[in-house]
Amino acid sequence: MNNPDRIPIAERLQKLNQQSGVAQETQVTSTDALSTQATSNLMINANARTHALTVTSEGGLDIVQNRASVGVAVIPFEEAKPLDPQVVHDHHLLVTGPDVDPRELEALAVSIWDDAGWIQPGLLRLTDGATLSGPWRINKEIRMTIGTPARMEQAWILDVPATRAAAPAPLLTRSDPLARAFADGMPAGKEFEVLQALTRVSRRLAGALRAAPSGNIIEPDADGAVAMTVYAARWVDEEDLAELLRPYLPDIVNSQDADKLAPIDSPERAQTREEIAKRVNIPEDELVRIAEITQAADRKAAEEGFVVRGYSLLASAGNTSRVHITVTPADYTPSVLRFEQWPQGSAIEYGVHWVMPHVYRNKLGHPSRALRFERNRVKDQIELIASLIARSTGGHMLDEDQFLVAEA
């Protein structure tokens, strides 16, 4: 018995897409082909990106309106081919260290866009009209040509229609790295949305963006994301939260009583990291205390006439800094938590923010060594505070770029 001829999946997809009548997207600017194979992949993606495919009972393919979750093998960096320097003339690049797993990149994309996911190995859909292809390897010769940082050997090519608005104002180019990279005309529409999102992704991955055609490198400070937020269904009132955090923040007060704290730039506030550590009295019964706070929160929420009221707390932190903790019903829920169900219709938002000394406020663009030390001290404490709140509320910790942070 002869086996029937095997029809390649690419041909079956193309045939199916021709039958579906899905309209082609309009490209604002044309781009050269990355390669014959990549071009074929992108043609398939242009038609199929708003539909999902399913296998029928007869073994054929059919289009459905919802995307299916399909496990796709990824291409590891060890198997990456060298990047073609000619491609970067009209394609933006996301560059990272070689240790970044493609699945981590996918997870961050899914955190931002509903329809993100692998189309096939080496081709990651971000959203309608935008994909990343890779990974590609950046060797020393290529790096000298395109000017990317030496430690970033992995590249992903962004394919998105280029749309340009007016040139940014001089004030914006001095303060915004994205504006500096597009001094002749700011990206707009889909391109602007994707580049903003990939700036967040690159900061989380300690990576960078290379903008086309200028070649400017946008490298967000990976340590610059200090604030954290916990989104939870459980409300903890001011008295209980202050009691939970007092062993770690001994002078914690309501923000209205900020005059009870030493002035933020006061010399008497200055202390070494070792002195800070000595002041932190970690209770031996920490888990018991967390359980008690949780039970108290649930008991109070069940009381008749219970009302959620916003409040904020302030405490000394770091060397000469403070932390500001805000608690309020959330007006907005980040997309990474879009599938969570909140019993009261909205989450409770616990924000933990850095209040820096005035002397540092004009130095964030080019942080000094002293500023970096202070920021790292406070960041450690903010992570600890957010972790305690998350464990007490059953909440989710998010970093400043609104990506999930796993508890240590």
Side-chain angles (χ1 to χ4, degrees):
M1 179 179 177
N2 294 329
N3 292 324
D5 293 336
R6 178 182 177 278
I7 302 176
I9 187 69
E11 293 183 14
R12 298 172 71 187
L13 286 172
Q14 287 178 316
K15 182 178 180 181
L16 185 62
N17 290 326
Q18 290 170 358
Q19 297 172 352
S20 68
V22 181
Q24 293 279 353
E25 295 187 18
T26 302
Q27 301 291 325
V28 179
T29 59
S30 62
T31 57
D32 295 330
L34 307 182
S35 67
T36 302
Q37 180 180 358
T39 303
S40 176
N41 295 339
L42 294 174
M43 287 174 61
I44 295 170
N45 176 42
N47 284 327
R49 58 182 48 159
T50 55
H51 293 74
L53 297 171
T54 184
V55 179
T56 66
S57 58
E58 292 78 23
L61 290 174
D62 194 9
I63 285 182
V64 293
Q65 294 299 319
N66 299 311
R67 289 182 59 81
S69 178
V70 179
V72 175
V74 298
I75 299 174
F77 177 70
E78 292 74 18
E79 298 178 11
K81 296 180 179 179
L83 176 70
D84 180 359
Q86 298 301 318
V87 172
V88 304
H89 177 70
D90 52 5
H91 288 81
H92 310 304
L93 290 184
L94 171 66
V95 293
T96 70
D99 58 334
V100 172
D101 191 303
R103 288 167 293 189
E104 186 176 1
L105 186 58
E106 177 200 19
L108 296 178
V110 170
S111 298
I112 300 172
W113 293 287
D114 290 344
D115 49 352
W118 294 107
I119 298 172
Q120 63 179 45
L123 190 61
L124 176 64
R125 169 196 171 98
L126 300 178
T127 186
D128 187 30
T131 61
L132 283 175
S133 63
W136 303 91
R137 185 180 297 272
I138 303 175
N139 57 33
K140 184 177 180 179
E141 181 181 352
I142 296 172
R143 183 169 63 249
M144 295 296 291
T145 301
I146 66 176
T148 51
R151 61 183 176 82
M152 300 181 191
E153 303 174 22
Q154 182 173 184
W156 292 80
I157 299 171
L158 174 63
D159 186 76
V160 64
T163 308
R164 294 289 182 270
L171 177 63
L172 191 60
T173 59
R174 290 195 293 270
S175 59
D176 184 0
L178 190 62
R180 283 197 295 273
F182 294 94
D184 295 333
M186 281 291 286
K190 182 72 67 178
E191 184 183 29
F192 180 72
E193 171 199 333
V194 172
L195 286 173
Q196 274 203 320
L198 289 184
T199 301
R200 294 163 49 199
V201 170
S202 63
R203 178 155 70 164
R204 176 62 177 262
L205 299 177
L209 290 175
R210 184 188 186 277
S214 68
N216 285 45
I217 304 298
I218 304 169
E219 186 176 1
D221 187 351
D223 293 326
V226 178
M228 298 190 72
T229 309
V230 176
Y231 289 87
R234 182 177 286 118
W235 172 266
V236 177
D237 68 18
E238 179 181 346
E239 180 182 348
D240 289 338
L241 186 59
E243 187 64 27
L244 174 70
L245 300 179
R246 188 160 283 113
Y248 308 91
L249 303 171
D251 60 358
I252 189 168
V253 296
N254 186 286
S255 296
Q256 295 180 344
D257 299 323
D259 56 347
K260 295 180 179 179
L261 300 175
I264 194 168
D265 289 312
S266 171
E268 64 193 68
R269 275 287 331 278
Q271 52 193 326
T272 66
R273 194 163 192 165
E274 291 73 21
E275 289 171 334
I276 294 170
K278 289 178 181 177
R279 291 187 62 192
V280 174
N281 179 26
I282 302 176
E284 294 182 1
D285 62 343
E286 182 183 73
L287 294 179
V288 174
R289 295 175 63 250
I290 290 175
E292 289 174 348
I293 295 295
T294 300
Q295 292 170 2
D298 291 342
R299 185 174 61 253
K300 292 176 181 179
E303 293 176 355
E304 186 176 352
F306 171 75
V307 178
V308 173
R309 292 186 176 89
Y311 62 90
S312 67
L313 303 170
L314 203 63
S316 300
N319 185 15
T320 56
S321 297
R322 291 176 180 166
V323 288
H324 185 208
I325 303 163
T326 58
V327 185
T328 181
D331 294 325
Y332 160 78
T333 303
S335 58
V336 69
L337 300 177
R338 58 189 176 273
F339 300 117
E340 291 292 325
Q341 299 295 320
W342 309 108
Q344 304 301 322
S346 65
I348 305 300
E349 178 183 309
Y350 298 82
V352 190
H353 309 276
W354 176 29
V355 183
M356 72 183 72
H358 299 289
V359 68
Y360 294 142
R361 296 192 178 180
N362 294 326
K363 300 180 180 179
L364 291 177
H366 301 282
S368 64
R369 185 179 181 187
L371 171 55
R372 290 182 181 275
F373 276 141
E374 177 69 0
R375 185 172 63 186
N376 288 338
R377 290 188 186 104
V378 178
K379 192 172 184 176
D380 289 344
Q381 291 182 274
I382 285 178
E383 289 177 356
L384 172 62
I385 295 167
S387 178
L388 284 168
I389 295 174
R391 282 184 281 169
S392 302
T393 61
H396 303 278
M397 290 194 302
L398 274 65
D399 65 13
E400 199 166 312
D401 291 309
Q402 300 187 335
F403 293 125
L404 281 171
V405 176
E407 288 188 44

